[in-house]
Amino acid sequence: FEQIFMGLRELLPEFDESLAQRFLPVPGDVREKRLGLPATLVRDLEGPPIGEIWHLAASLDLTETRSQDVYNTNLLGTLNVLDFIREQKIPRLSYFSTFGASGDVHEGVVREIPGIRPPAFRNTYERTKWEAERHVWQAQIHGEVLATIYRPSIVVGDSRLGRYEQFNVFNHPFDVASRVRKKLCAKQGIDPVHGVLKYDLRVPGDANATLNIVPLDFAIDTVMKIHAVRGSEGRVYHIVNPNPPSLKLVMEIFKRHAPWDGLRWEKLNPNGPFLNPHEKFMSRHFGFLAPYLLGEGLYDYSNVQTILAFHGRIPPLNNEVYLEAISRRAMDHGWQEVKTDQAIGALLIRHG
């Protein structure tokens, strides 16, 4: 939590130090019963009632190398949170799911409706988040809690500063491409900052496909606006980019900062043939990401629009400015700037 407050001080000059006094940081683990909270704290919770629990804990691994941990955190962890809610009689739950809970969708419209099982999932992460959603919604149907489900798309960085703390579908390909470019520039005697590299390299993906990414500040602003509206509870909300950028635009902005003739998206057969060893490496290295780079459905956000129509509206989001900020930051600090493991667990909020 100290690291979180340090980050707030860096990102928000207006951050009020007194806010830190209103938080009680308590280490826990959603994978354990009673969230791994100390028995003394659980007894203390019998005092003033807890008004709401925010459940953001998740294992975000997409590689299938930690499937058991993904299952234990995302699904079993949510079941533990629901048990804790029943035990403590907590009336409200804000659960952060993912747009990936809609499964492997490459076309059509994805509605803000819970409980519909997709025909397929791209990985264990998506499957466990859908299963967790199902249990959360069942708890609401049975009158055990008033639940709100937020489904953010791929959250990448800050729209103003470009800073990010998560390695994902967006920056992973560019991290590898940037490293390959530096090696090739050194080999060819080209200035890595201003020189133009000429080398054919196809990256797995469809240039015309969109990639629904949103900055962290956009996601937080949207969620908090929704949460502040009386009567907004008990629904599913897609926290998505209203106009998701194309992979073509993303690549163009990357190449503005890392000039490279020959770098392009292309639908590749994972078994080849390949133009060179670098292409073979990238194709196989990005195998687990390919399903996200070949097209996606249109994510409906009617519930968000309806709730915010007269309550501040959806925050503005300029893709050009946003992507430029990320690219500039990446050039200065690297595409793999900060490594994180798992998200923070649950946040308990007392009334008063």
Side-chain angles (χ1 to χ4, degrees):
F1 280 89
E2 180 59 31
Q3 186 176 14
I4 293 174
F5 290 133
M6 288 177 62
L8 288 173
R9 295 185 191 104
E10 177 184 344
L11 295 175
L12 304 173
E14 68 276 15
F15 177 70
D16 186 350
E17 293 288 343
S18 66
L19 291 176
Q21 305 304 316
R22 297 168 56 187
F23 289 88
L24 175 63
V26 180
D29 191 334
V30 295
R31 295 170 295 186
E32 299 179 11
K33 294 295 183 182
R34 291 189 169 182
L35 311 184
L37 298 175
T40 53
L41 176 64
V42 175
R43 286 196 298 270
D44 290 343
L45 294 177
E46 296 175 359
I50 299 171
E52 180 174 7
I53 185 166
W54 287 69
H55 176 25
L56 295 84
S59 177
L60 309 177
D61 184 79
L62 306 178
T63 65
E64 299 297 281
T65 59
R66 297 168 54 194
S67 296
Q68 188 60 52
D69 184 61
V70 171
Y71 176 84
N72 292 344
T73 304
N74 298 350
L75 179 53
L76 298 187
T78 299
L79 295 180
N80 288 334
V81 169
L82 290 172
D83 285 342
F84 189 80
I85 285 173
R86 297 183 186 101
E87 177 185 299
Q88 299 295 323
K89 296 181 174 56
I90 301 171
R92 289 182 60 180
L93 166 65
S94 287
Y95 173 58
F96 275 66
S97 182
T98 171
F99 79 147
S102 301
D104 191 7
V105 180
H106 293 280
E107 59 184 8
V109 179
V110 182
R111 303 293 182 186
E112 294 166 298
I113 302 174
I116 300 177
R117 185 181 181 89
F121 295 102
R122 287 171 280 203
N123 45 57
T124 302
Y125 170 69
E126 292 186 347
R127 179 176 61 81
T128 54
K129 294 298 278 187
W130 180 85
E131 289 283 0
E133 265 196 24
R134 184 172 65 87
H135 286 282
V136 167
W137 207 250
Q138 284 296 316
Q140 168 152 294
I141 291 174
H142 294 151
E144 297 170 340
V145 69
L146 181 57
T148 303
I149 297 175
Y150 299 104
R151 291 177 179 166
S153 58
I154 303 170
V155 180
V156 183
D158 177 270
S159 65
R160 297 164 299 170
L161 304 178
R163 188 175 190 275
Y164 57 87
E165 295 190 1
Q166 186 173 309
F167 210 41
N168 54 33
V169 174
F170 172 79
N171 50 328
H172 191 45
F174 294 112
D175 173 62
V176 176
S178 182
R179 293 169 187 268
V180 170
R181 182 178 179 277
K182 287 181 180 178
K183 290 182 179 180
L184 291 173
C185 284
K187 186 176 181 179
Q188 298 182 22
I190 297 173
D191 177 4
V193 177
H194 304 291
V196 178
L197 175 67
K198 296 184 178 181
Y199 187 87
D200 279 332
L201 185 64
R202 300 172 299 174
V203 181
D206 182 351
N208 295 316
T210 59
L211 185 63
N212 203 303
I213 59 175
V214 292
L216 180 59
D217 51 307
F218 171 91
I220 292 175
D221 194 7
T222 304
V223 168
M224 297 314 296
K225 282 183 176 180
I226 294 171
H227 184 267
V229 178
R230 187 183 299 274
S232 63
E233 309 92 336
R235 295 182 176 87
V236 176
Y237 296 99
H238 281 160
I239 311 301
V240 296
N241 192 320
N243 300 292
S246 67
L247 290 182
K248 179 181 179 181
L249 174 62
V250 174
M251 180 67 80
E252 287 176 356
I253 293 178
F254 169 77
K255 291 165 72 172
R256 289 177 196 170
H257 299 274
W260 187 339
D261 286 348
L263 181 68
R264 61 191 183 276
W265 299 106
E266 193 165 313
K267 298 179 183 179
L268 299 179
N269 185 323
N271 298 315
F274 303 107
L275 299 179
N276 49 63
H278 293 295
E279 189 171 280
K280 181 178 181 180
F281 168 77
M282 294 187 74
S283 179
R284 295 185 176 179
H285 191 64
F286 296 150
F288 71 99
L289 297 179
Y292 293 93
L293 302 172
L294 296 173
E296 59 186 2
L298 178 64
Y299 291 89
D300 170 52
Y301 55 102
S302 298
N303 286 349
V304 178
Q305 289 178 299
T306 299
I307 289 294
L308 296 186
F310 301 101
H311 297 87
R313 300 188 180 278
I314 298 173
L317 179 56
N318 185 313
N319 288 323
E320 284 267 358
V321 174
Y322 167 39
L323 293 172
E324 276 284 351
I326 292 177
S327 294
R328 285 196 305 270
R329 177 86 185 194
M331 292 300 104
D332 293 335
H333 299 272
W335 287 90
Q336 195 172 357
E337 179 181 353
V338 181
K339 295 181 180 179
T340 58
D341 184 13
Q342 292 183 351
I344 305 168
L347 176 64
L348 308 179
I349 301 179
R350 291 190 187 279
H351 282 310

